[in-house]
Amino acid sequence: MNRSIWNGLSNGEKDAVMRSLYSELPEGFTYEGLHTFSRYGVTLETGIFAYQGSLFSFIPGDEVTLGWESWATEMDEATKGNLLKTLDELDITDVELFLRECMSPVRKAAIGPFLAEHHTHPAGWREIPLEDAKGLGIGELEADLEKFRASTYKVFERGQSYRLERQGQGIIVYLFNEDLTPENMMAELRKEGFSLPIEDEWEYLFGGGCRTMFPWGDSFDFGMKLKYFEDSGKGESERAYDLELPNAFGLQFLGDPYQYEWTTLDERLIPKGGDGGCSICGGMGLMAGYLPATAVYYRDPYVHELDWEDVLDNLHFRRVVRIGL
């Protein structure tokens, strides 16, 4: 179903369409009703489904142009000055050529309707109950748990072995799955009735079909609160990171250039939404460093050189269910 047709339906008609999808969904899905989301000047009322504790949004299809080759509008002076200063320090003189080499090519895409999961999951890490973790006898896990409990850290990771994260008043333990292969992962998802988004679908989910550099326009928002930059967000410690807030589809993205989201292109892994932190670690500053996590069409220039083992530690996935409306 095309997005314009979906938007033209009444609430009763939308509700009936959503209820008709049960025959196409894996067993266990429940329809939760219609909900309206707004972000970056875009508002969409869509259907929400639940599956084993996870929420999914109905994503209407569309005929869109994806990829980037030039600015849609003139970037503001703050964006231009910051970008030029950063690239000049790297002896890069052709700004648009540099950006084009970091983006997916311009192309037309027919996006079909599907359900998309609101949150992502770590691909290389599996959650285990805290009590089970204590009895595994893994390295320094129990000692690290005690230190972590007494600290103020939100996350602690012991190499590619285990990770500790705070969730409310509790602690979540993840073990690294070094034996995971993309083939096994994809087979397991298909067995359960799910897929991963292809690159076209992910760019549509992230940008909603916009033709600007960022989902909100062609100028960088220096007022955002961002990870790794303590001065961002005007020192509001309790404020959520802006890039993690739900978009107009109700989806939340990682908003972290150190992390990747798993998409595919001709069944090949195409990590999106980050560059493993290469830009930030390379001293490219706030805007250029965050370009991989904010530019809608960013595609890591070295994507074809990345091995599975290089990205598994920071790789996340979002389940989708394609439907035949």
Side-chain angles (χ1 to χ4, degrees):
M1 176 175 288
N2 187 280
R3 190 169 171 178
S4 61
I5 294 176
W6 168 258
N7 288 340
L9 299 178
S10 67
N11 280 4
E13 290 171 326
K14 290 176 181 176
D15 195 70
V17 171
M18 294 296 93
R19 295 181 186 280
S20 73
L21 296 181
Y22 276 117
S23 62
E24 299 190 53
L25 302 179
E27 185 176 349
F29 268 85
T30 59
Y31 173 54
E32 302 294 302
L34 298 173
H35 189 87
T36 300
F37 298 96
S38 295
R39 193 82 195 279
Y40 306 134
V42 178
T43 298
L44 179 71
E45 181 179 52
T46 191
I48 303 299
F49 290 81
Y51 178 82
Q52 296 183 355
S54 290
L55 295 178
F56 290 70
S57 282
F58 167 69
I59 310 298
D62 208 348
E63 301 283 335
V64 292
T65 300
L66 303 174
W68 192 92
E69 62 183 1
S70 61
W71 302 99
T73 58
E74 184 67 22
M75 54 182 163
D76 63 22
E77 290 303 315
T79 301
K80 183 184 298 183
N82 187 283
L83 185 59
L84 289 175
K85 180 177 183 296
T86 299
L87 297 183
D88 183 62
E89 291 173 353
L90 299 173
D91 294 324
I92 297 173
T93 56
D94 192 328
V95 176
E96 290 207 1
L97 176 60
F98 166 78
L99 291 173
R100 280 196 295 273
E101 290 177 343
C102 295
M103 305 291 165
S104 64
V106 173
R107 69 230 184 250
K108 299 287 186 180
I111 306 295
F114 59 103
L115 300 190
E117 194 166 14
H118 283 193
H119 297 273
T120 61
H121 306 272
W125 300 88
R126 61 183 180 88
E127 181 181 340
I128 64 170
L130 181 60
E131 291 305 313
D132 291 354
K134 291 180 179 179
L136 292 175
I138 300 175
E140 302 173 64
L141 176 56
E142 293 196 37
D144 285 337
L145 269 170
E146 292 306 312
K147 293 177 183 177
F148 185 70
R149 187 176 282 110
S151 74
T152 58
Y153 295 129
K154 293 183 179 180
V155 179
F156 172 82
E157 182 178 319
R158 177 71 70 176
Q160 290 188 339
S161 180
Y162 51 83
R163 174 186 292 164
L164 309 177
E165 292 186 9
R166 293 193 189 278
Q167 188 173 88
Q169 298 301 311
I171 296 175
I172 306 297
V173 180
Y174 295 93
L175 296 184
F176 188 68
N177 187 1
E178 61 183 7
D179 296 325
L180 182 70
T181 66
E183 294 78 15
N184 290 344
M185 181 77 176
M186 294 289 287
E188 187 63 29
L189 285 171
R190 285 193 292 267
K191 182 180 177 181
E192 296 175 356
F194 296 100
S195 301
L196 294 175
I198 62 173
E199 185 182 36
D200 286 356
E201 291 169 335
W202 190 92
E203 291 184 353
Y204 177 61
L205 291 175
F206 189 59
C210 71
R211 296 305 304 134
T212 52
M213 172 68 72
F214 311 107
W216 56 83
D218 272 329
S219 295
F220 194 78
D221 181 359
F222 291 98
M224 292 187 294
K225 180 180 178 181
L226 303 171
K227 292 180 178 178
Y228 317 117
F229 289 88
E230 294 181 2
D231 293 336
S232 69
K234 301 178 182 179
E236 300 175 47
S237 60
E238 299 303 316
R239 174 179 160 190
Y241 291 113
D242 289 82
L243 295 177
E244 295 179 2
L245 297 174
N247 69 2
F249 289 129
L251 308 186
Q252 292 182 258
F253 291 84
L254 297 164
D256 184 339
Y258 282 89
Q259 308 301 317
Y260 295 104
E261 188 168 335
W262 186 353
T263 78
T264 63
L265 178 62
D266 298 327
E267 298 189 354
R268 291 182 291 111
L269 168 69
I270 302 291
K272 302 288 285 187
D275 67 349
C278 291
S279 297
I280 285 184
C281 290
M284 295 189 71
L286 192 151
M287 179 191 165
Y290 254 88
L291 195 68
T294 54
V296 177
Y297 304 109
Y298 186 89
R299 181 197 283 177
D300 194 322
Y302 305 103
V303 65
H304 300 302
E305 300 176 19
L306 295 173
D307 293 324
W308 174 251
E309 294 77 11
D310 297 329
V311 300
L312 182 57
D313 189 11
N314 298 326
L315 186 63
H316 303 253
F317 68 95
R318 184 190 309 271
R319 295 174 293 183
V320 303
V321 181
R322 297 184 183 90
I323 52 184
L325 280 178

